[in-house]
Amino acid sequence: MLPTFVPAGFVDVGHSVVRDASSGKNLVIVDSVQSMANHLEATLLGEPGQVVPGLENLPYVRLTITDPAGRTRITSSLELPHRLASGWFCKAKELLDFQQDLAADILDHGIAAATFRRCPNSLLHGVFYSQLAGLDPNVAKTPRLLSAEVVATGAQSIADGGVAKDPLFPSGEGFDVESLVGAKATAAEVGAGYIPYRHQAFIAEGVELSVYLAEGRITRLTLPDPAKNVLRLLARYKLARLLAEPLDLRAHCIFQAEQVPPELADAEAILHDLQTQLSECRRLGLFVDPVVSEFALTLGAAKEKSKKAKASGAAVAVVEEDNA
């Protein structure tokens, strides 16, 4: 791994650096709780909108979106911002039946049971159904049960830089920018020639990944024991997969775990136990059936095109009946 790293940068703040009052050393947030949640969720994903092999009994919501140009993209509650509470699920007019069923389930059985039924991953990382109609804010949210953060201690900033090389036009001279882009500009403005840049990295005495699983809150959830076990095992499986490879947080921010807790060393053993508990939850009727809820949305011009195609098909059918 590289000895230097680039920590998370925050809008209007930059890198978050603070001096530890007890040691006098600098602490810097390498990766935030929110960003680590994204990395943990990515451990469950294979292809877009698909879970990794072995988790076929894990409920989640999969969405196929067709854009105005007719291109399709598959995504899911495992990866969208706000997970099951995403506006894609909770505001789209085409998903009104889903929204009404979810809201009624929350009101009748509680947010934990209703969310777990459709996407245990969303319950593990927390949801706030601010986009879902008919819910009081007091019952529309549940905090994350799994949190993780990467912090460096004894951190020092290093200012460096370099030059982006262009073997075709090293100096940028003689490069006809206007004929290339159709407007007046310098070679550097269009990425030609040698371009100098500045860069800020950090070096630290140590970098630590801290994880908190809210065992007390899991125990207090009004869910059967197999459901609570799924949450515990799902958290451990994510962490085991995350630590099995270099922790690649972003460009120039890659780490290798020096020590992995014994309970996270065998991802396959955790997966086996998780599969057992998922099967038991399914047997008890704690999941929707089928476990993967499939929806499709068509946006803008693509939607109009689809309507015209349906109208054209209906017109052809009428003409054929008349000719008959």
Side-chain angles (χ1 to χ4, degrees), residues 5-46:
F5 60 90
V6 176
F10 302 93
V11 178
D12 298 329
V13 175
H15 303 305
S16 182
V17 182
V18 65
R19 187 174 295 277
D20 189 309
S22 59
S23 67
K25 296 179 180 180
N26 284 339
L27 305 179
V28 59
I29 295 177
V30 179
D31 216 45
S32 67
V33 172
Q34 294 81 0
S35 178
M36 282 304 302
N38 295 334
H39 290 296
L40 286 165
E41 287 178 309
T43 62
L44 300 186
L45 294 172

Side-chain angles (χ1 to χ4, degrees), residues 152-174:
T153 58
Q156 296 182 43
S157 175
I158 302 173
D160 64 2
V163 175
K165 296 182 178 181
D166 185 342
L168 298 179
F169 294 93
S171 68
E173 295 179 2

